[in-house]
Amino acid sequence: MAEFVEIFEVGPRDGLQNEPRAIPTRDKIALVDALSACGFRRIEVASFVSPKWVPQMADGAEVLAGIRRRPGVTYSALAPNLRGYAGAVAAGADEIAVFVSASEGFSKANLNCSVAESLERLGPIAEAARRDGTRLRGYISMVVECPFDGPTPPAAVARVAAALRDLGCAELSLGDTVGRATPDGFDAMLTAVLGELPPARLAAHCHDTAGRALEVIDAALARGLRVVDASVGGLGGCPYAPGAAGNVATEAVAAHLAAKGYETGLDPARLAEAAALARRLRTG
Ligand code: HMG
Ligand code: MG
């Protein structure tokens, strides 16, 4: 039987957060519903961050209230602080994603605080998640390269990974936020992080600025990672990371994995429909 690789769909969050035009809530809901029919195990549908910082994500509660939940699908949401965590849980998010940067420059730009302060802020979320039995996913950004600070030392990523593990994150997603990693650079970073967590608890999160995302994903697969984040239609970017292009497209990753003999559980025809819808949302 073919080995399974999970594609974690981030389009409705990482994709739509960066769109310059305001996407109507009903269109976001339609995108999530189209994705729910594709066979994903997990879809990141919203973020509960400050609407002053990311106005595109201000309607997260409405999105979660409006989607048709498919049994067996986990609907995730991003939260930067306890207020975001509480909002996401109240709105019915099944899994909460917290996010920190491996570099100081991006931490300041994206969260308005240092890396150490951002980890401290997660303490109350970790406590609440333990109490509520909520699964936590942790993102680490700029794992190879940062537009503010330059190359990120692998040891810095490993330190943040250990801190997130100790806070109780079940899984860590390693973000090449600006899409400039080479396979070798990603591999060197993994050598450090794999000293702290096994590959089964890691995901690769690639943006595709330099067109190398699939090669970087291959490097992650070679190290035993079996979760890959991707965004339908290649939507995406981060408003606080200059130069960050779209996430690697889900349909490209699905086709790449199928060609390598992996099973993803995704229906290519339904995925093509969802990608077409995502592209229509982008162009308006
Ligand atoms: P701040 O300005 O330092 O702190 O922002 P604040 O506490 O003064 O908050 C500012 C305002 O937002 C206040 O409103 C708060 O009440 C409100 P005011 O008093 O001025 O009227 N506020 C909130 N509102 C709703 N929900 C909340 C919330 N929290 C505060 N949860 C803060 C600090 C962390 C809030 C801000 O920096 C922020 O929201 N940052 C998020 C930025 C973001 O979402 N970036 C994109 C996601 S990360 C990403 O894309 C990378 C990833 O894909 C992986 C990768 O590619 O590497 C995950
Ligand atoms: Mg991202």
Side-chain angles (χ1 to χ4, degrees):
M1 217 174 76
E3 202 182 342
F4 186 79
V5 173
E6 179 188 0
I7 299 184
F8 181 99
E9 174 58 47
V10 296
R13 194 282 303 171
D14 210 358
L16 298 184
Q17 75 179 7
N18 204 42
E19 284 305 305
R21 79 178 187 99
I23 311 263
T25 306
R26 64 173 180 282
D27 289 347
K28 296 179 179 178
I29 291 170
L31 180 63
V32 175
D33 286 346
L35 290 165
S36 290
C38 290
F40 292 104
R41 290 182 176 181
R42 288 183 289 169
I43 305 173
E44 196 168 77
V45 296
S47 61
F48 288 75
V49 299
S50 166
K52 291 195 171 146
W53 282 66
V54 185
Q56 296 89 333
M57 291 283 106
D59 57 354
E62 289 80 5
V63 171
L64 271 155
I67 57 175
R68 275 197 307 275
R69 283 169 177 266
R70 199 176 179 95
V73 179
T74 291
Y75 296 93
S76 299
L78 213 64
N81 50 25
L82 193 58
R83 176 168 168 192
Y85 171 87
V89 169
D94 304 311
E95 176 183 73
I96 304 297
V98 295
F99 51 108
V100 295
S101 174
S103 69
E104 291 295 340
F106 182 62
S107 187
K108 183 73 190 151
N110 196 45
L111 288 165
N112 200 23
C113 64
S114 69
V115 174
E117 283 162 343
S118 72
L119 288 167
E120 246 168 65
R121 239 183 235 175
L122 296 183
I125 295 188
E127 203 183 308
R130 263 194 302 277
R131 187 193 60 221
D132 302 343
T134 306
R135 189 174 195 271
L136 284 186
R137 169 175 233 239
Y139 281 103
I140 307 178
S141 292
M142 306 299 175
V143 296
V144 175
E145 182 80 35
C146 171
F148 304 101
D149 299 358
T152 305
V157 188
R159 265 197 307 278
V160 172
L164 288 174
R165 175 202 60 206
D166 294 347
L167 279 164
C169 289
E171 174 185 72
L172 298 187
S173 173
L174 302 166
D176 175 22
T177 320
V178 280
R180 297 252 165 237
T182 60
D184 285 351
F186 203 84
D187 186 70
M189 177 276 299
L190 280 176
T191 299
V193 174
L194 286 167
E196 301 292 345
L197 289 109
R201 290 181 61 188
L202 300 174
H205 178 102
C206 297
H207 290 254
D208 203 19
T209 319
R212 284 191 295 264
L214 294 177
E215 292 167 53
V216 171
I217 288 168
D218 283 346
L221 292 169
R223 287 304 198 106
L225 275 66
R226 291 293 179 266
V227 180
V228 176
D229 298 356
S231 174
V232 69
L235 293 172
C238 174
Y240 294 100
N247 294 71
V248 64
T250 306
E251 54 281 15
V253 178
H256 184 71
L257 290 173
K260 289 177 75 93
Y262 290 106
E263 177 58 59
T264 61
L266 298 177
D267 176 334
R270 292 231 159 101
L271 192 54
E273 280 171 31
L277 174 56
R279 282 192 292 270
R280 281 202 299 281
L281 293 189
R282 187 159 52 187
T283 52

